[in-house]
Amino acid sequence: MRIFRYLPLLLLVFWVEGSFGSEQNPKISQRIRRYRTANEYKILKEFFDLLAIPNVSADRKNVRRNAELISAMMEKRGIDSEVLETAANGNPVVYGEIHAPDAENTLLFYVHYDGQPVAPSRWTDSQPFTPVIRKGKLDPVTGVPKPVLLSPELFPLPDDWRIYARSASDDKAPIIALLSAVDALRSEGIPLKNHIKFIFEGEEEAGSVHLEKFLAEHREKLAADMIFLCDGPTYFSGSPTLFFGVRGITSIRLTVFGANVSLHSGHYGNWAPNPVWQLVKLLATMRDNHGRVLIDGFYDTTLPLSATEISALKAVPSYDEKLKKQYGFASHEGGERSLIEAIQQPSLNINGLAGGWVGDQIRTIIPSTATAAIDIRLAKGNDPTDMVQKVVRHIEKQGYHVIHADPDPQTRLAHARLIKVDLPEKGYRASRTPMDHPIAQAVVKTLRRHCDRDVVLLPSLGGSLPIYMFENTLKIPTIGIPIVNFDNNQHQADENLRLGQLWNGIETFAAIFLMDGD
Amino acid sequence: MRIFRYLPLLLLVFWVEGSFGSEQNPKISQRIRRYRTANEYKILKEFFDLLAIPNVSADRKNVRRNAELISAMMEKRGIDSEVLETAANGNPVVYGEIHAPDAENTLLFYVHYDGQPVAPSRWTDSQPFTPVIRKGKLDPVTGVPKPVLLSPELFPLPDDWRIYARSASDDKAPIIALLSAVDALRSEGIPLKNHIKFIFEGEEEAGSVHLEKFLAEHREKLAADMIFLCDGPTYFSGSPTLFFGVRGITSIRLTVFGANVSLHSGHYGNWAPNPVWQLVKLLATMRDNHGRVLIDGFYDTTLPLSATEISALKAVPSYDEKLKKQYGFASHEGGERSLIEAIQQPSLNINGLAGGWVGDQIRTIIPSTATAAIDIRLAKGNDPTDMVQKVVRHIEKQGYHVIHADPDPQTRLAHARLIKVDLPEKGYRASRTPMDHPIAQAVVKTLRRHCDRDVVLLPSLGGSLPIYMFENTLKIPTIGIPIVNFDNNQHQADENLRLGQLWNGIETFAAIFLMDGD
C-alpha cells in the first residue's frame, strides 16, 4: 500500500473527517444496509446452503464439497476463482480475485471454511448441519426459542434473531458477508477502490498444518498491500472491531507420578506419596491468589504498549461488569486490571487437571498419577520455547526431576519428586501491527468515514491466530476484522450467529473495500 | 469369655509357652497342614464353585444364590445354618453355629460373601466369575503367567500360585478357610474348645446398610465372647496377623465455581476466575510439603497409643523399603515416620481431582468448575463430624463462602470465592480393642501356641471396617483376623489370592477354634 508517503495529510484528513463527516449524504454503510434489507432472504438462502454441507476438517470429502460450492459462489458473481491444493493429504484453499480498474492497492482477505468437530447429541433441538433460525438467543436449559427452518414468510428478521449451525460464526459468516458486500457495492453502483483477493482455508480447525507452506508457494499470486484476517468475534458490544494483533500460544502438560498403581487410601494413606497432592503443591507455587504468575521472568520479555495503544485501550468501552453478570462470577483475577488490559499480558491457564476419580467412579484410593494441562498465551515479545523453559526451570527449582516420557522402574526409584513434562508440538509467537502504522491508521479512517457505528480498536485480541504464518511468508501487514457475536458458542454445541452481526459485517467489509490512501 | 479372672496366670503361661513350646509333638498347625496337603483339590473345588457365582452386591438374585450355596456347604458338614433376611430390599445374612460339648466360650466369626462391581474388560485373559489358577503373580503388562482352569492334574500346587476371581480374596477366602479348618480338626480328631458362630454378610460392599439393625435384632442369637472379623489383608509379610482396631472414615467433596460456562482461555485467560487454580491454591493450604495436615486441630483429638501398643508397633518387622520398591516410589510422606506409624494417625487424602480436560479431549478453556474428592481416615478419638467441620472451617478461613448445593445466579454474583461442600452420607469412628485386654492377650497366646509361624500384631489396621456396628449393638470385643495377601487387587480387576495365604488361613482359624481361657 502506498499510503506511507501521505502520513501527515492522512492524519489531518482523519481529524477533519472525524469532526464533520458526511451528514449531507448517506454514509456508505446506510446504502449497503438499504441493499441488504431488500435482499435478506437471498443472502440467507445462499448462506444456509453453505452451512448445510458438513465441514469438519477431518471429513475431507465434505470439506471439498464446501470448497467447490464457495468457488461456484464466486464464479456466479464473475469473480475469478480457483480451488488450490495444499498437500496430497490436505484440504484445498479456495482462491478468488477481483480486479478493480484504476486501483493501486490490493487487499487480501483470509477466512476459513472448515469447522470444529461436532457432537450432535449435545445440540439443543437442532442438528449442526441443518441450519435453523431462532427468534432470539437460545436458553440451553429451556431450549427456547425453538428452532425454525428458513422460509420467506419469516421476513423481515429482527437483528436479535440467530442462526444456529456449525460454522454459522466460525468461520463461514465472513464468507457470505464478503460476497454480499461485493454484491451490495455493485448494486449501489459504487466502484471498488482496491483490488480484492480472497483465500478461504479448509484446515484452520486442524491446525493450519499446510498453510505456511501454501502461502510461501503462492507468494506472487497472493501479493497484496494488506491482509485482513476475518475470524474471531467482535468486541462484546458487537461494534465493528479491528484487532491489530493476537496473542501467541504454547502449552505444556505435567504428569506427576506416585506409586505405579493406585493404592488403598486406608492401608497407605499419608505414607505412600499422593501425586495429586504433589501436583497441587507444585501448581500453587506458580501463581499468587490474585492470578499473578510467580515464575521467574514470566513477564520480563513482554514488550510495552505504545502510547497510541495505551490510549486505544482506554477508549474501549468497558464491558467487564456485564460479562461478570452474564457469566455469573463476582470477582475477576488480576485486581483492578480490566479484561482488555489483562489480555495484553501473557497468561498461565490450567485447561484441565485430573487424577483419580471424583464422580460416580469415586473410590478411596491414592491415585498413581496426576496430570495438569496448561496453556500459555503469549504477549508480543514472548518466545514460546523460552516461556515453556521458564516453567520447566521453576518446576526443577521445586525439587522435581523432569522427564519427557513415562518413567522406567529405575527412574521411579531414583527420584522423590518425578514429573513428566509433555512439551507442545509447536507454539507460536504473538503478532502485532503497531497502531501507529500508517496502514493501521488508514483502516481506522476508512471505517470511521464509511460506517455510522462506533469502531472498537484493540491492540491485540486475547485469543491466538497464526498471523505469524502470513508475516513469515508474505511479509504483509495483517489486521484482524472479526464480525461475529462474542457469545457464538464457537467450538461447542449450539454454535450461532446473531443476524445483526452478519448485517453489520457486510457494511464493514464494504467500507474496507473502499479504503484509499489519500 | 471367662478368661479375665486368670490374667496373671495367663501372662505366665504366655511367656513359658513362648520359651519351649511343643517341640516334642507336632504343633496343631502342622497337623492341619497334613490334612490340607492331602485335600487341596477337594478344598479348591468347593471354593471355585463358590467363586463361580456372581456376587456383586447389587445383583440381588445371584447374591442370594451365593447365600444358598454357603448355607448348603454348612449343612453338608452338619453345621446348623439359616439364611436370615435383613430387609425387604436387602441381601440375606447366612448364619451358622457349631456346638462344642463342654465348651464355655463362644467365638463369632464375621465374613462377607458379596463383592465389588466388576469391569470384565479390564481383567487380563480371564473373567471375574470364572475362577482360574495362575502359576505365580500376574504381570498385567505381559499377561503372564497365563490362566488355567482347575484340574486334578495340576496338583500339588506351589504356595506362590494364585487364584484369580472376584472375591477370591475379598472376602470369600475366609469362608472356605473357616469351613476347611472345621474339616481339618475333625479329620485329625481334635475337638473344638469353643462354640463357633458364623455370620456371612451379603451387603458389605454396598456399605453394610442393614447390618447394624440386623445385629441389634439378633443380639441373642449372636451372643458370643469374642468377635473375629475375617476381612482385609494380612501384614505384608503374609504372616498370621491380628489387628486390634481399624481406622474410621469420612469423606468430603469440594467443588469450586468459576464462570457458569467454560470460557475461551485466550479471550478471558487470567481475567475470568479459573476454579482449578482456586482449588489448587485452597488445597495447597491444607498440607505441608511433607504430608502434615495444616488444618487447625486436625491431630488434636487422636488418643495416644498405650505402651503395649507402642511396643507392638516396634516389634512389627518393617516392610517399608520392600513396598517402596514394589510400588515404585523413592520417598514416602511423613519424614522418618514408618508406614505402620503413619496409619495410627488420621489422614487427609485426595481420592481424585477433576476440572476441565487433560487427555484427547483437551481444549484451551477456563473450566467452569473444579472438584476434589477427599477421604479422611480417622484414628481413635476422632469424631467424623468434628473432623469434617474442621476442614470446612479451614476453607472458610481462606475466604470461601460455603454452600451445600449448586449455587443460584444470585449466589454466584455475591461471592468471589464460592465452594460447594458435599458432606458424607455417613462416616464412622475408629475402633480399637486395647492390646492389654486379657482377651486380646489370649488370642495372641493361642496363635503363638498352635502356629509355627511368626504372628504380627497391629494395634490398628490402616483401612476402615465398620467394627463400631458390632460395638454399638453386641457389645462384644472385636479383633480382626485377616488371611489374604496384601497384593490381592481387591476392588479392582484381576483380584487374586495367593494359595499359601489360604493354606495359612486354615491353620490360623483352626488355632483360634482351640483358644481357651486357661
Side-chain angles (χ1 to χ4, degrees), chain A residues 60-76:
Chain A
R60 296 185 54 210
K61 194 171 155 191
N62 274 317
V63 166
R64 189 166 293 270
R65 288 178 55 214
N66 279 275
E68 285 160 2
L69 177 58
I70 293 165
S71 181
M73 286 159 63
M74 290 197 281
E75 293 288 346
K76 188 175 72 179

Side-chain angles (χ1 to χ4, degrees), chain A residues 326-375:
Chain A
Q326 171 164 355
Y327 288 133
F329 55 88
S331 178
H332 60 269
E333 294 182 352
E336 293 302 303
R337 200 181 54 178
S338 70
L339 170 56
I340 204 80
E341 287 163 351
I343 60 175
Q344 311 305 319
Q345 293 292 323
S347 72
L348 184 75
N349 177 59
I350 301 178
N351 298 136
L353 200 158
W357 288 269
V358 301
D360 295 341
Q361 295 271 302
I362 191 170
R363 48 197 80 175
T364 49
I365 54 151
I366 305 165
S368 62
T369 64
T371 300
I374 291 174
D375 71 345

Side-chain angles (χ1 to χ4, degrees), chain A residues 247 253 260 265-266 270-271 274 281 284 287 326-327 333 337 349-353 355 358 365 375 377 462, chain B residues 247 253 260 265-266 270-271 274 281 284 287 326-327 333 337 349-350 352-353 355 358 365 375 377 462:
Chain A
R247 286 202 281 190
R253 191 162 59 174
N260 51 25
S265 70
N270 285 24
W271 181 78
N274 184 324
K281 297 294 284 187
R287 298 211 326 175
Q326 171 164 355
Y327 288 133
E333 294 182 352
R337 200 181 54 178
N349 177 59
I350 301 178
N351 298 136
L353 200 158
V358 301
I365 54 151
D375 71 345
R377 300 280 173 170
Chain B
R247 286 202 281 190
R253 191 162 59 174
N260 51 24
S265 70
N270 284 25
W271 181 78
N274 184 324
K281 297 294 284 187
R287 298 210 326 173
Q326 170 164 354
Y327 289 134
E333 294 182 352
R337 200 180 53 178
N349 176 60
I350 300 177
L353 201 158
V358 301
I365 53 150
D375 71 346
R377 300 280 174 172

Side-chain angles (χ1 to χ4, degrees), chain B residues 12 16 40 42 64 71 104 160 212-213 311 334 371 373 402 447 472 483 485:
Chain B
L12 179 64
V16 171
E40 284 181 1
K42 189 181 84 174
R64 188 167 293 270
S71 181
E104 277 190 27
D160 276 338
E212 194 165 3
K213 179 170 151 285
S311 299
T371 301
V402 172
L447 277 190
N472 287 353
I483 64 167
N485 41 298

